[in-house]
Amino acid sequence: MAAAPGSALLLLYLLIGSAVTQAAKSSEDVRCKCICPPYRNLTGHIYNKNVSQKDCNCLHVVEPMPVPGRDVEAYCLLCECKYEERSTTTIKVTIIIYLTVVGALLVYMAFLMIVDPLIRKPDSYTQPLHNEEDTEDTRPFAPTHGQARANTVLERVEGAQQRWKKQVQEQRKTVFDRHKMLS
């Protein structure tokens, strides 16, 4: 079990390292996006191009220019150009961390599902939910072998669970008694 966290961390570092090297190769982190509305007989269109922030305007981004030379200025005045910058490395690292946390929680849940039946004691106080007759007597949860109080977290949880089950049984008995009185 001690090797599992170390190998998980090593895997995480490898994934982050590969994400950083791939992001360095990517040129999609910056772009200029121009949204041009319909103009005369032309439909609206969105243009994207990787240019610097100072060149982020209609004349540098819109290629090929859909209007003839004398209408270019009027067409470019209608277009709205925005310089956008993002960090794909940050996005990838965030997703890797999120998936790592979710994976760790799933492994922990599987671990608890495997270990829980091994440490849980058989419960003689349970009652089927479909049984409408309350025939069994309800005994309060009492510590066994002379224990004065619950020492472990598991024992405290089991004690709280027993109190909750007792309350449910009392409520069930009350509901069924009222049901019998009304019918």
Side-chain angles (χ1 to χ4, degrees):
M1 265 302 174
S7 61
L9 285 174
L10 179 64
L11 180 64
L12 178 65
Y13 290 134
L14 290 174
L15 288 173
I16 290 173
S18 67
V20 169
T21 57
Q22 287 177 358
K25 298 175 187 175
S26 175
S27 62
E28 299 295 322
D29 284 347
V30 293
R31 71 177 180 180
C32 183
K33 179 180 180 181
C34 290
I35 302 172
C36 298
Y39 178 75
R40 295 190 182 172
N41 60 351
L42 299 172
T43 60
H45 196 71
I46 298 175
Y47 299 92
N48 290 315
K49 191 171 182 184
N50 294 334
V51 294
S52 65
Q53 190 170 4
K54 66 179 180 134
D55 293 333
C56 184
N57 59 32
C58 177
L59 295 174
H60 290 97
V61 175
V62 177
E63 290 179 359
M65 190 59 72
V67 294
R70 57 185 169 86
D71 289 338
V72 169
E73 242 181 82
Y75 183 71
C76 282
L77 287 174
L78 296 175
C79 294
E80 181 181 340
C81 296
K82 290 183 181 176
Y83 183 75
E84 297 175 345
E85 192 172 346
R86 65 181 180 185
S87 174
T88 54
T89 305
T90 304
I91 294 168
K92 288 177 184 179
V93 169
T94 303
I95 290 172
I96 289 170
I97 291 171
Y98 174 77
L99 291 176
T100 304
V101 169
V102 169
L105 289 174
L106 287 173
V107 168
Y108 181 64
M109 183 183 73
F111 172 75
L112 287 180
M113 289 176 69
I114 292 170
V115 171
D116 188 44
L118 299 175
I119 60 175
R120 183 165 300 269
K121 301 171 189 168
D123 191 9
S124 63
Y125 299 109
T126 58
Q127 169 182 335
L129 290 176
H130 56 63
N131 186 9
E132 290 188 12
E133 298 295 325
D134 190 21
T135 57
E136 69 179 33
D137 58 355
T138 57
R139 294 177 287 179
F141 176 73
T144 58
H145 301 92
Q147 292 177 339
R149 59 173 226 220
N151 293 328
T152 65
V153 173
L154 184 61
E155 290 171 345
R156 289 185 213 146
V157 169
E158 286 178 351
Q161 186 179 19
Q162 292 300 330
R163 287 191 299 275
W164 175 78
K165 285 181 181 180
K166 183 179 177 184
Q167 289 174 350
V168 168
Q169 287 175 349
E170 289 174 6
Q171 290 173 358
R172 187 180 294 137
K173 182 179 179 182
T174 304
V175 167
F176 291 138
D177 287 347
R178 288 182 185 166
H179 178 71
K180 288 178 184 176
M181 277 195 298
L182 293 174
S183 33

